[in-house]
Amino acid sequence: MKQIPVAVIGASGFTGLELIKILLNHPRFEIAFLGGSEGGDLLESHPSLKGVYSAAIEKSDVDRIADRAALAFLAVPHKQATAIAKALLDRGVKVVDLSADYRLNQANYEAAYGVKHGDLDNLQTAVYGLPELVGRAAIASARLTANPGCYPTATILAALPFLPYADLTAPIIVDAKSGVSGAGKQCVDRTHFVNVNENCFTYAPIVHRHAPEIKEKLSSAAQQPIEVVFAPHLLPITRGMLSSVYLRQKAPIDDPAAIARKFYAENPFVRVRDESVQIKWVAGTHYCDLFCRSHAGVLFVQSAIDNLLRGAASAAVANANLMCGLPCETALPAIAYAP
Amino acid sequence: MKQIPVAVIGASGFTGLELIKILLNHPRFEIAFLGGSEGGDLLESHPSLKGVYSAAIEKSDVDRIADRAALAFLAVPHKQATAIAKALLDRGVKVVDLSADYRLNQANYEAAYGVKHGDLDNLQTAVYGLPELVGRAAIASARLTANPGCYPTATILAALPFLPYADLTAPIIVDAKSGVSGAGKQCVDRTHFVNVNENCFTYAPIVHRHAPEIKEKLSSAAQQPIEVVFAPHLLPITRGMLSSVYLRQKAPIDDPAAIARKFYAENPFVRVRDESVQIKWVAGTHYCDLFCRSHAGVLFVQSAIDNLLRGAASAAVANANLMCGLPCETALPAIAYAP
Amino acid sequence: MKQIPVAVIGASGFTGLELIKILLNHPRFEIAFLGGSEGGDLLESHPSLKGVYSAAIEKSDVDRIADRAALAFLAVPHKQATAIAKALLDRGVKVVDLSADYRLNQANYEAAYGVKHGDLDNLQTAVYGLPELVGRAAIASARLTANPGCYPTATILAALPFLPYADLTAPIIVDAKSGVSGAGKQCVDRTHFVNVNENCFTYAPIVHRHAPEIKEKLSSAAQQPIEVVFAPHLLPITRGMLSSVYLRQKAPIDDPAAIARKFYAENPFVRVRDESVQIKWVAGTHYCDLFCRSHAGVLFVQSAIDNLLRGAASAAVANANLMCGLPCETALPAIAYAP
Amino acid sequence: MKQIPVAVIGASGFTGLELIKILLNHPRFEIAFLGGSEGGDLLESHPSLKGVYSAAIEKSDVDRIADRAALAFLAVPHKQATAIAKALLDRGVKVVDLSADYRLNQANYEAAYGVKHGDLDNLQTAVYGLPELVGRAAIASARLTANPGCYPTATILAALPFLPYADLTAPIIVDAKSGVSGAGKQCVDRTHFVNVNENCFTYAPIVHRHAPEIKEKLSSAAQQPIEVVFAPHLLPITRGMLSSVYLRQKAPIDDPAAIARKFYAENPFVRVRDESVQIKWVAGTHYCDLFCRSHAGVLFVQSAIDNLLRGAASAAVANANLMCGLPCETALPAIAYAP
């Protein structure tokens, strides 16, 4: 019954693991290729999979991938994705790129990442893979989707229903908090247990590379330039993300939750809550939970997502579903890890 | 396709939630009754289920349960299970009791819990629900299984393959560590975040009520009286359990891992590892991971399980599977929450 | 050499412990009375003090306190402080009240706490114990100081230098995060380890009782009404607090750090940093660390404090120092618990 | 009043920081030299010290150290200490070595560390710096003390009072648990937050290098060869250590706590408790807390220490105190970080 062969490039990382976990339960996708910068045994990277699934991680040769897979997930560092994506697209393989390489327009990309973009042709046609923003149809017809960053996903989903109600001449304030898995598997000072545990701090406030992504996408949605003041924080937890979004209102808003509910009426994976959202209620799932409250002319909207799922792997599978003609929600994880 | 209606009594607790999570993915069981000491909305107890599953928690009326369910999981405090179990068995409902009420023989129970046992008839026929210890056939023919405690599960699975190799005139030493979810949902000093976080300590060392359970079951398996020195610790984590078991060897053991592998050859949910086991590799699953090493005439065997799953809910579903003629492994969770 | 006898009322709580820890190292204060709602052994409440200090906790009889102490720290729940404070002041004992009872003006207090204020006379003369806001002289001449709340301390210290530069017709946005010790020693759902661990969420956003305190004090400092949008979060850590304050600027600000440094030039326990502040760098100390950055007409100021010290106990000692004619900084903890 | 100039070599690490924190409060030692493998600003390594203490970290030139300091603390990796220690001793500087280089006899050292020992002369005269084991007089007359490892400290202090009561033909079983700071400041897989958080596992069980240290010292104390089965675990906490020690008794022991209390009667920094020990009660202090219970012919003794203090820095200061003719307890931290 599994008919669509897919590749996961970057299988040894956290996002690679999450992709594999979803794909193992997917009724229509089957894993046809696991790629990495070096070959190796999947179980060495992910010992939890012992007895569940065993496979080799292979060197990411594009011809081999194209031989075996109809669609590839790229979970590789930014700046490394363009070369692989271009080669795969040339060989007729659809691509969901989880790196930052196709998220921004050329000018914003080059300013944020300090390099020339390596694949301008495909950048023109890449679709930003946030269905709530661009529509499912746009993704369904795409050959290349740029999976959104985790902070932008959480923030845009919070802000989007309220753009028509907001005075966008005032900057949107985003105070966001992420678990450590968002920083990847590599050991650096910022991921050392002792530096994270019993601690909390902002990193790269204002200048974080997700700020231009939020700004570009919200400006485009609102069709007017929007400023964003963005302060990302590291939380002493493994997975999950909260984004507090503060918008200046144009006029009093009676029932912001009703606005959000109406906006997301067709989106079962957005839950608008009457009480504060909690990371624990979404960790392990594709859900984005929202909570909103208005005070003193300011709208406070808070979103909670799992940074590795809705902020990466399950969002990628949702895009792949659409690109392959499957229902968007196919195999997206819905049962949280709570307690 | 779901044909066997089951009840979960104690649906508002942690174990209740884990049972529901497994049952929602179960191909043959369907939830027919959710019971609690008070009625209420399931989502108030478990907000993470919003959009996934909605149901009422009802007062645990035995007639109603018997009307609707063929089998009931009892996730209620010890001393409260006998009354419900007895009434349900009388009405032809099979019971998997997750409390301690049917785990011990009368003498041990009354010594450990300080009360007369309330249902001696069923105690005689209750089967201790650890298939690796009693055999799958015994459980398959039971009407009442006593689901083992979490510490006993982890400890017995570690010790069992090695009983023939151990000098059982020496006490078995068990230094075990559990996540806080094992203490239940109630707020007490020992579950206050500030008391647990950045801390570790034993509680009820030697006299913990799981000690007689380990002792009775291992003695019975070895057909000789065994002494156990048991020190349970609280870890500052939510879920998971490690049990370090130290056995005095009768004679040198060349390759303890080979002994364990052979013993568990037919048990896909026991994984014998060559490297140290880790809680993270089993959390979210029914797996029991084992690691063993021999030194100076002592065999060190360490097991890792998820205390809420292999130590409670998924073990209960495995028992229910057998009691209903299904393959033991049906719907048992295998993919860990890692990272 | 220790000449000034002081009382700690509420000795069994977290704040009581912190007060005792500071007082044990204080060159001029000596503990003359430890009070609680029930009597008992101090070591039962705080086993870490074994061998360091032993004393009885006595019932808080005001005559006995007045017999023995020249100044009393009240670390009791709000609504309970007024009766004790009044009686002690009548008996000539100076009072540092760590509850909320004397922090707000009558109208704000009665609106926030839903009761008539129990001691209007002393409320008139009580001094808000934040030296950076009211001046050391005002505290030095007070008989009763109202120790500020932890969130207000962190927030006011962040905002204060910038009030002249801010457009205060726009609400001040405060996104704050606190460790669990701020919720006190009592076991409630919100302090259960399993609910806090691997989680983060706002509680009482907008309507938290510290919001009117922040609003009243900043409005008074700015001599104009200020609106505050306040979202407090619970962090899965024991101690520490971050407050992100977002202010709309009147005009571009070149070097906000220079403004803050100048403002706090005489305050050794405020450190203005060039890099992001971290909870770990202040936990265990009286320091308030500040970081500021301007973007798009918004000033982002973040403060870090230890909620139990600068947000409670060490602030109380600083006030007591001033009220007793000692240098403000006497015995305030400066060496962090890091790593 | 501070008259004895001391050097801290390895000032940028966790142990270096703890040494500095103690020395800043020491009435007789003053910091005369801070050394590192590279020079730099102390505040870059330890931003929490801003405003408290500022100094340069200098390259560890032995002549310069000898010019300025009468005693040096070496907090450098093993294998690197011998060269520095030898040179400093040659120049008349006393040395407290916190590395493993002088802890073991030659044979054990070379077996455990796989290299020839680099300074056999001083190895002969080095004194193992555990006063409870070797006596204060031996340390007082030493020019070089080898500061014990953290696991050996916790374990030996637990076992020592009971050696005369134990059947030492049976191996001593040690199930120990440590916070992550014991692994040092370097970022490696084992210190990555995601790998530690919500996890627990043994590392290097049986073969950990602290096993021969425990074995050598206990054998020497008992004057008979002792076997040790040692399983060290990593806890998801920053600081603190528990060691569970299981001894086979020669004969029934009525009141093990009384034995321990008598043994440590002269040691104020060993506290024998009637209830289970907790890491939180010793973290931040030089205390070693003990709890003991006898069952089935086995004695269970559990110790709790702060691995960075009693297991490293404060133990080093205690040794330095003795070596400089000061009371052993001078400036040792006694007030825990609790809550």
Side-chain angles (χ1 to χ4, degrees):
Chain A
M1 187 48 167
K2 290 199 175 184
Q3 297 134 326
I4 306 169
V6 300
V8 175
I9 312 305
S12 65
F14 292 151
T15 306
L17 174 56
E18 293 300 314
L19 284 166
I20 291 166
K21 286 162 65 178
I22 299 171
L23 293 171
L24 289 175
N25 282 323
H26 199 287
R28 298 298 310 285
F29 290 146
E30 72 185 331
I31 299 173
F33 189 96
L34 296 179
S37 52
E38 303 171 54
D41 184 343
L42 181 66
L43 294 186
E44 272 175 42
S45 296
H46 306 302
S48 64
L49 291 178
K50 181 174 171 148
V52 178
Y53 181 67
S54 91
I57 298 180
E58 303 177 53
K59 285 213 159 197
S60 298
D61 178 272
V62 289
D63 285 316
R64 275 183 161 179
I65 300 171
D67 268 2
R68 292 199 231 151
L71 180 145
F73 297 96
L74 304 190
V76 301
H78 55 77
K79 300 183 191 171
Q80 295 180 20
T82 45
I84 308 175
K86 191 175 154 69
L88 290 176
L89 290 164
D90 284 349
R91 284 159 180 78
V93 180
K94 291 176 181 176
V95 171
V96 179
D97 177 27
L98 289 92
S99 87
D101 281 359
Y102 296 94
R103 289 175 191 162
L104 302 176
N105 66 34
Q106 182 186 356
N108 285 340
Y109 180 85
E110 298 186 348
Y113 291 89
V115 291
K116 289 265 165 211
H117 194 283
D119 182 20
L120 290 176
D121 286 350
N122 289 309
L123 181 60
Q124 306 312 318
T125 57
V127 174
Y128 189 69
L130 188 60
E132 291 84 352
L133 181 73
V134 303
R136 295 181 172 199
I139 295 169
S141 61
R143 294 178 53 241
L144 166 63
T145 53
N147 220 48
C150 48
Y151 284 121
T153 297
T155 302
I156 294 170
L157 290 176
L160 208 51
F162 301 105
L163 292 183
Y165 303 85
D167 172 358
L168 298 171
T169 63
I172 296 179
I173 288 166
V174 181
D175 196 286
K177 301 97 189 162
S178 173
V180 182
S181 59
K185 212 174 178 172
Q186 217 172 338
C187 304
V188 293
D189 270 2
R190 210 174 71 211
T191 60
H192 193 300
F193 182 84
V194 171
N195 294 339
V196 175
N197 181 45
E198 293 298 284
N199 204 0
C200 185
F201 52 87
T202 58
Y203 57 100
I206 313 305
V207 301
H208 190 285
R209 281 159 172 173
H210 282 177
E213 186 177 339
I214 297 168
K215 187 176 160 178
E216 177 182 317
K217 300 311 168 190
L218 286 181
S219 296
S220 156
Q223 293 183 287
Q224 75 179 95
I226 294 179
E227 275 294 349
V228 171
V229 176
F230 178 54
H233 297 70
L234 199 64
L235 289 176
I237 66 174
T238 293
R239 59 161 79 209
M241 172 172 281
L242 277 188
S243 185
S244 293
V245 179
Y246 299 88
L247 298 155
R248 191 200 294 175
Q249 301 171 193
K250 273 185 196 155
I253 300 179
D254 265 0
D255 186 352
I259 292 171
R261 280 200 185 91
K262 191 168 172 199
F263 188 90
Y264 289 119
E266 307 299 315
N267 283 279
F269 276 99
V270 177
R271 299 185 292 201
V272 181
R273 291 188 175 272
D274 293 322
E275 71 283 66
S276 297
V277 298
Q278 299 202 7
I279 282 177
K280 201 176 268 283
W281 299 342
V282 298
T285 81
H286 185 68
Y287 281 111
C288 173
D289 279 8
L290 293 181
F291 170 74
C292 28
R293 189 139 297 178
S294 167
H295 180 72
V298 172
L299 188 67
F300 164 63
V301 193
Q302 188 164 61
S303 57
I305 64 168
D306 185 317
N307 60 306
L308 290 178
L309 291 173
R310 170 61 94 145
S314 66
V317 173
N319 286 325
N321 286 338
L322 289 169
M323 291 163 75
C324 295
L326 305 175
C328 180
E329 284 79 15
T330 310
L332 302 184
I335 297 182
Y337 291 171
Chain B
M1 188 50 168
K2 290 200 176 184
Q3 296 133 329
I4 307 169
V6 300
V8 176
I9 312 305
S12 66
F14 292 151
T15 306
L17 174 57
E18 293 300 314
L19 284 165
I20 292 167
K21 285 162 64 178
I22 298 171
L23 294 171
L24 289 176
N25 282 322
H26 199 287
R28 297 298 312 285
F29 290 146
E30 70 184 330
I31 299 171
F33 189 97
L34 297 178
S37 52
E38 302 171 55
D41 184 343
L42 181 67
L43 293 187
E44 272 176 41
S45 295
H46 306 302
S48 64
L49 292 177
K50 179 173 172 149
V52 178
Y53 181 67
S54 91
I57 299 180
E58 304 178 52
K59 286 211 156 199
S60 298
D61 179 88
V62 289
D63 286 316
R64 274 185 163 180
I65 300 171
D67 268 2
R68 294 198 230 150
L71 180 145
F73 297 97
L74 304 189
V76 301
H78 55 77
K79 300 183 190 173
Q80 296 180 20
T82 46
I84 308 175
K86 192 175 154 67
L88 290 176
L89 290 164
D90 285 348
R91 284 160 180 78
V93 181
K94 293 178 180 175
V95 171
V96 179
D97 177 25
L98 290 92
S99 88
D101 281 359
Y102 296 95
R103 291 176 189 161
L104 302 176
N105 66 33
Q106 183 185 358
N108 285 340
Y109 180 86
E110 297 185 350
Y113 292 89
V115 292
K116 289 264 167 214
H117 194 281
D119 182 19
L120 290 176
D121 287 350
N122 290 310
L123 181 59
Q124 307 311 318
T125 57
V127 174
Y128 188 69
L130 189 60
E132 291 84 353
L133 182 73
V134 303
R136 294 181 173 200
I139 295 168
S141 61
R143 292 177 56 242
L144 167 62
T145 52
N147 220 51
C150 48
Y151 284 121
T153 298
T155 303
I156 294 169
L157 291 177
L160 208 52
F162 300 106
L163 292 183
Y165 303 85
D167 173 359
L168 297 171
T169 64
I172 296 179
I173 288 166
V174 181
D175 195 286
K177 300 97 189 159
S178 173
V180 181
S181 59
K185 210 173 178 174
Q186 219 171 339
C187 303
V188 294
D189 270 1
R190 211 174 69 211
T191 59
H192 193 300
F193 182 85
V194 170
N195 294 338
V196 175
N197 181 45
E198 293 298 286
N199 204 359
C200 185
F201 52 86
T202 58
Y203 56 100
I206 313 305
V207 301
H208 190 285
R209 281 159 171 173
H210 283 177
E213 185 177 340
I214 297 169
K215 187 177 162 177
E216 178 181 316
K217 301 310 167 191
L218 286 181
S219 296
S220 159
Q223 294 183 289
Q224 76 178 91
I226 294 179
E227 275 293 350
V228 172
V229 177
F230 177 54
H233 296 69
L234 199 64
L235 289 177
I237 66 174
T238 293
R239 56 161 80 209
M241 173 171 281
L242 277 188
S243 185
S244 294
V245 179
Y246 298 88
L247 299 155
R248 192 200 293 176
Q249 301 171 192
K250 273 183 192 154
I253 301 179
D254 266 0
D255 186 353
I259 293 171
R261 280 201 185 90
K262 192 170 171 197
F263 188 90
Y264 289 118
E266 308 299 315
N267 282 280
F269 276 99
V270 177
R271 298 184 291 201
V272 181
R273 290 188 176 272
D274 295 322
E275 71 280 68
S276 297
V277 298
Q278 299 204 6
I279 283 178
K280 201 175 270 282
W281 298 342
V282 299
T285 81
H286 185 67
Y287 281 110
C288 174
D289 278 8
L290 293 180
F291 169 74
C292 27
R293 189 141 296 180
S294 167
H295 181 73
V298 172
L299 189 67
F300 164 64
V301 193
Q302 188 163 60
S303 58
I305 64 168
D306 184 316
N307 60 306
L308 289 179
L309 291 173
R310 172 61 95 143
S314 65
V317 173
N319 285 326
N321 286 338
L322 290 168
M323 292 163 76
C324 295
L326 305 175
C328 181
E329 284 79 13
T330 309
L332 302 183
I335 297 182
Y337 291 171
Chain C
M1 190 48 169
K2 290 199 176 184
Q3 297 134 325
I4 307 169
V6 301
V8 175
I9 311 306
S12 65
F14 292 151
T15 306
L17 174 56
E18 293 300 314
L19 284 166
I20 291 166
K21 286 163 64 178
I22 299 171
L23 293 171
L24 289 175
N25 282 323
H26 199 288
R28 298 298 310 286
F29 289 145
E30 71 184 330
I31 299 173
F33 189 96
L34 296 179
S37 53
E38 301 171 55
D41 184 343
L42 180 66
L43 294 185
E44 273 176 41
S45 296
H46 306 302
S48 64
L49 291 178
K50 180 173 170 149
V52 178
Y53 182 67
S54 91
I57 298 180
E58 303 177 53
K59 286 211 158 196
S60 298
D61 178 89
V62 289
D63 286 316
R64 272 185 164 178
I65 300 171
D67 267 2
R68 293 199 231 150
L71 181 145
F73 297 97
L74 304 189
V76 301
H78 54 77
K79 300 184 190 171
Q80 296 181 20
T82 45
I84 308 175
K86 191 175 153 70
L88 290 176
L89 290 165
D90 285 348
R91 284 159 180 77
V93 180
K94 291 176 180 175
V95 171
V96 178
D97 177 26
L98 289 91
S99 87
D101 281 359
Y102 296 94
R103 289 177 191 161
L104 302 176
N105 65 34
Q106 182 186 357
N108 285 340
Y109 180 86
E110 298 186 349
Y113 292 90
V115 291
K116 289 265 166 210
H117 194 282
D119 182 20
L120 291 177
D121 286 350
N122 289 309
L123 181 59
Q124 307 311 318
T125 58
V127 174
Y128 189 69
L130 188 61
E132 291 84 354
L133 182 73
V134 304
R136 296 181 171 198
I139 295 169
S141 61
R143 294 177 57 239
L144 165 63
T145 52
N147 220 49
C150 48
Y151 284 121
T153 297
T155 303
I156 295 169
L157 290 177
L160 208 51
F162 299 105
L163 293 182
Y165 303 85
D167 173 0
L168 298 171
T169 63
I172 296 179
I173 289 167
V174 181
D175 196 286
K177 300 97 188 163
S178 173
V180 182
S181 59
K185 211 173 177 173
Q186 218 171 337
C187 304
V188 294
D189 270 1
R190 210 174 70 211
T191 60
H192 193 299
F193 182 84
V194 171
N195 294 338
V196 174
N197 182 44
E198 293 298 286
N199 204 0
C200 185
F201 51 87
T202 57
Y203 56 101
I206 312 307
V207 301
H208 190 285
R209 281 158 170 172
H210 282 176
E213 186 178 339
I214 297 169
K215 186 175 161 177
E216 178 182 316
K217 300 310 167 190
L218 286 181
S219 295
S220 157
Q223 293 183 288
Q224 75 179 94
I226 294 178
E227 276 294 350
V228 171
V229 176
F230 177 53
H233 296 69
L234 199 64
L235 289 176
I237 66 174
T238 294
R239 57 161 79 209
M241 171 170 281
L242 277 189
S243 185
S244 293
V245 179
Y246 298 88
L247 299 155
R248 190 198 294 175
Q249 301 171 193
K250 273 184 196 156
I253 300 180
D254 265 0
D255 186 351
I259 293 171
R261 280 200 185 91
K262 191 169 172 199
F263 189 89
Y264 289 118
E266 308 298 315
N267 282 280
F269 275 99
V270 177
R271 298 185 292 200
V272 181
R273 290 189 176 271
D274 294 322
E275 71 281 66
S276 297
V277 298
Q278 299 203 6
I279 282 177
K280 202 175 268 282
W281 299 342
V282 299
T285 80
H286 185 67
Y287 281 109
C288 173
D289 279 7
L290 293 181
F291 170 74
C292 28
R293 190 140 295 180
S294 167
H295 181 72
V298 171
L299 188 68
F300 164 64
V301 193
Q302 188 164 61
S303 57
I305 64 168
D306 184 316
N307 59 305
L308 290 178
L309 291 173
R310 170 63 94 144
S314 66
V317 173
N319 285 326
N321 286 338
L322 289 169
M323 292 162 76
C324 294
L326 305 174
C328 180
E329 284 79 15
T330 310
L332 302 183
I335 296 182
Y337 290 171
Chain D
M1 186 49 167
K2 292 200 172 180
Q3 295 134 330
I4 306 169
V6 300
V8 176
I9 312 304
S12 65
F14 292 152
T15 307
L17 174 57
E18 293 299 315
L19 284 165
I20 292 167
K21 286 162 64 179
I22 299 171
L23 293 170
L24 289 175
N25 282 323
H26 199 288
R28 298 299 310 286
F29 289 147
E30 71 184 330
I31 299 172
F33 190 96
L34 297 178
S37 53
E38 301 171 54
D41 184 344
L42 180 66
L43 293 186
E44 272 176 40
S45 296
H46 306 303
S48 64
L49 291 178
K50 179 173 171 149
V52 178
Y53 181 66
S54 91
I57 298 180
E58 303 177 52
K59 286 210 156 198
S60 299
D61 178 89
V62 289
D63 286 316
R64 273 185 164 178
I65 301 171
D67 268 2
R68 293 198 231 152
L71 181 146
F73 297 97
L74 304 189
V76 301
H78 55 75
K79 301 183 189 171
Q80 295 179 20
T82 45
I84 308 175
K86 192 175 153 69
L88 291 176
L89 291 164
D90 285 348
R91 284 161 179 76
V93 180
K94 293 177 180 175
V95 171
V96 179
D97 178 25
L98 290 93
S99 87
D101 280 359
Y102 296 95
R103 291 176 189 161
L104 303 176
N105 66 34
Q106 183 186 357
N108 285 341
Y109 180 85
E110 296 184 350
Y113 292 89
V115 291
K116 289 264 167 211
H117 194 282
D119 183 19
L120 291 176
D121 286 349
N122 289 311
L123 181 59
Q124 307 311 317
T125 57
V127 175
Y128 189 70
L130 189 61
E132 291 84 353
L133 182 73
V134 303
R136 295 182 171 198
I139 294 168
S141 62
R143 292 179 56 241
L144 167 62
T145 52
N147 220 50
C150 48
Y151 283 121
T153 298
T155 303
I156 295 170
L157 291 177
L160 208 51
F162 301 105
L163 292 182
Y165 303 85
D167 173 358
L168 298 171
T169 64
I172 296 179
I173 288 166
V174 181
D175 195 288
K177 300 97 189 160
S178 173
V180 182
S181 59
K185 211 173 179 173
Q186 218 171 337
C187 303
V188 294
D189 269 3
R190 209 173 73 212
T191 59
H192 192 300
F193 182 85
V194 170
N195 294 338
V196 174
N197 182 45
E198 292 299 286
N199 204 359
C200 186
F201 52 86
T202 59
Y203 57 100
I206 313 305
V207 301
H208 190 285
R209 282 160 170 170
H210 282 176
E213 185 178 341
I214 297 169
K215 187 176 162 178
E216 177 182 317
K217 300 311 167 190
L218 287 181
S219 297
S220 158
Q223 293 183 289
Q224 76 179 91
I226 295 178
E227 276 292 350
V228 172
V229 176
F230 177 54
H233 296 69
L234 199 63
L235 290 177
I237 65 174
T238 293
R239 56 161 81 208
M241 172 172 280
L242 277 188
S243 185
S244 293
V245 179
Y246 299 88
L247 299 155
R248 191 199 292 175
Q249 301 172 190
K250 274 184 194 154
I253 301 179
D254 267 1
D255 186 352
I259 293 171
R261 280 200 186 90
K262 193 169 169 198
F263 188 90
Y264 289 118
E266 308 298 315
N267 283 280
F269 276 99
V270 177
R271 298 185 292 200
V272 181
R273 290 188 175 271
D274 294 321
E275 70 282 66
S276 296
V277 298
Q278 300 203 7
I279 282 178
K280 202 176 267 284
W281 298 342
V282 299
T285 81
H286 185 67
Y287 282 110
C288 174
D289 279 8
L290 293 179
F291 170 75
C292 28
R293 189 141 296 179
S294 167
H295 181 73
V298 171
L299 189 66
F300 164 65
V301 193
Q302 189 163 62
S303 57
I305 64 167
D306 184 317
N307 60 306
L308 290 179
L309 291 173
R310 171 61 95 145
S314 66
V317 173
N319 286 326
N321 286 338
L322 289 168
M323 293 163 76
C324 295
L326 305 175
C328 181
E329 284 79 13
T330 309
L332 302 183
I335 297 182
Y337 291 171

